[in-house]
Amino acid sequence: MVRPLELLDEDIIRSHLKPRALEHIGAIYIHDRIDSTNCFLRSAIAESEVSGIICLAESQTAGKGRSGRRWISPFGHNVYFSLAWQYPSGPANVSGISLAIGVAVIRALTLLGISDLGLKWPNDILWKGKKLGGILIEVSGDINGPCKVIIGLGLNTLMSREEGAEIDQDWVDLETITHSSSPNRNYLVATLINETLPLVAEYDKTGLDPFLVDWRNSDCMIGKSVVLHIGGQKIAGIVAGISDDGLIQLDTGENGLRTYASGEVSFHP
Ligand code: BTN
């Protein structure tokens, strides 16, 4: 089935926003084509102190993924979303925010009737083990504050096998998950804003604590045999979960339970 294009529309998105999001929202920029929504916001907020600015695009020519990877961003169907916020405190005060955003995305998709979702540390959105979305957080600022945070979310809503051919892992889109009845795109974006923006606005006060239970309930790696790649190093272990500050805990056998702050996890065959 060919799904008609539903282009992003600021008025429609705003009409679905809840007061808890509207109170924090600034400008919404929507581009047909841009290098990267994260990069756009980085320049937009470089000289300002504005929070709650959102950038969306129909396509990205240089979409950025984690670990220097490219985020495949064809026109008109997926979601490429970035949100900027400035906190008075330093980066340490917003650590773990990427995990909290993962929880917010799961909440938004669950509200839209999507089930079987999971989180893969630190913040991949999976469906039945396949990648549905990813989050890229970029933090800048002084150690003592203020700091600026750009939260980028890419979500596959509809992508052909040809468009996704370059993706080097199993992936899925909402169209496949919902058997061609994926949510209206502007409504999907509004629901994502409703769940993420209030969280971001409060995060320097709440921290990760209120999101830990939900994160752990969605953790789809626990008990799995994995390899953690940190730079050139590979650490094998069984995932024991995440610590209260959002770090991954691996049972490494002889070396016991170890906690790591960064790295890429791959499932051990
Ligand atoms: C990942 O590698 O899993 C993170 C992907 C993040 C992609 C999004 S798309 C919107 C925003 N703009 C970017 O350039 N990247 C993020």
Side-chain angles (χ1 to χ4, degrees):
M1 180 185 138
V2 180
R3 194 179 169 97
L5 261 189
E6 182 204 343
L7 294 180
L8 297 168
D9 181 311
E10 179 172 353
D11 292 339
I12 302 178
I13 293 171
R14 282 188 183 270
S15 74
H16 291 300
L17 292 181
K18 300 258 169 24
R20 64 172 193 269
L22 279 170
E23 76 175 282
H24 298 296
I25 204 155
I28 301 181
Y29 297 95
I30 299 179
H31 300 275
D32 272 357
R33 188 179 142 99
I34 189 125
D35 52 354
S36 147
T37 53
N38 269 29
C39 293
F40 173 84
L41 282 189
R42 190 170 346 115
S43 318
I45 63 165
E47 303 303 329
S48 73
E49 289 178 19
V50 189
S51 288
I53 312 178
I54 285 175
C55 179
L56 294 154
E58 297 293 359
S59 68
Q60 297 183 119
T61 53
K64 295 195 291 180
R66 294 182 67 235
S67 308
R69 283 202 280 279
R70 201 158 85 82
W71 189 255
I72 305 295
S73 310
F75 183 86
H77 291 289
N78 294 335
V79 170
Y80 317 116
F81 165 91
S82 298
L83 160 62
W85 198 269
Q86 171 157 323
Y87 296 96
S89 47
N93 226 28
V94 292
S95 71
I97 192 168
S98 69
L99 278 79
I101 294 291
V103 169
V105 174
I106 298 276
R107 286 179 183 166
L109 294 174
T110 304
L111 282 172
L112 296 168
I114 317 287
S115 50
D116 294 318
L117 297 163
L119 288 167
K120 172 172 173 269
W121 186 88
N123 47 26
D124 280 359
I125 317 293
L126 302 189
W127 179 81
K128 296 189 175 174
K130 297 180 179 179
K131 186 146 173 174
L132 173 64
I135 295 161
L136 177 71
I137 307 272
E138 298 182 86
V139 183
S140 59
D142 198 73
I143 192 160
N144 296 314
C147 74
K148 291 178 180 181
V149 179
I150 296 170
I151 293 141
L153 166 70
L155 196 66
N156 302 330
T157 56
L158 172 61
M159 189 152 60
S160 67
R161 287 292 128 191
E162 294 74 41
E163 287 169 328
E166 265 182 53
I167 302 176
D168 60 359
Q169 58 186 302
D170 261 3
W171 60 271
V172 70
D173 58 16
L174 284 180
E175 195 70 358
T176 307
I177 296 174
T178 61
H179 305 289
S180 303
S181 52
S182 58
N184 173 304
R185 197 157 159 253
N186 284 294
Y187 186 58
L188 166 63
V189 168
T191 309
L192 289 166
I193 296 174
N194 283 331
E195 295 306 310
T196 52
L197 188 50
L199 175 161
V200 170
E202 296 293 316
Y203 194 79
D204 57 338
K205 295 175 198 79
T206 66
L208 185 58
D209 256 25
F211 307 100
L212 279 172
V213 169
D214 278 10
W215 206 98
R216 287 174 173 144
N217 284 338
S218 295
D219 185 349
C220 58
M221 296 182 3
I222 200 136
K224 298 242 162 77
S225 181
V226 300
V227 175
L228 180 69
H229 302 256
I230 311 177
Q233 215 190 342
K234 290 182 189 172
I235 299 137
I238 309 283
V239 178
I242 56 161
S243 64
D244 286 354
D245 41 9
L247 312 184
I248 190 165
Q249 296 176 313
L250 289 189
D251 182 348
T252 60
E254 277 180 9
N255 294 320
L257 191 67
R258 292 284 174 101
T259 302
Y260 299 92
S262 64
E264 284 285 312
V265 180
S266 62
F267 292 111
H268 211 264

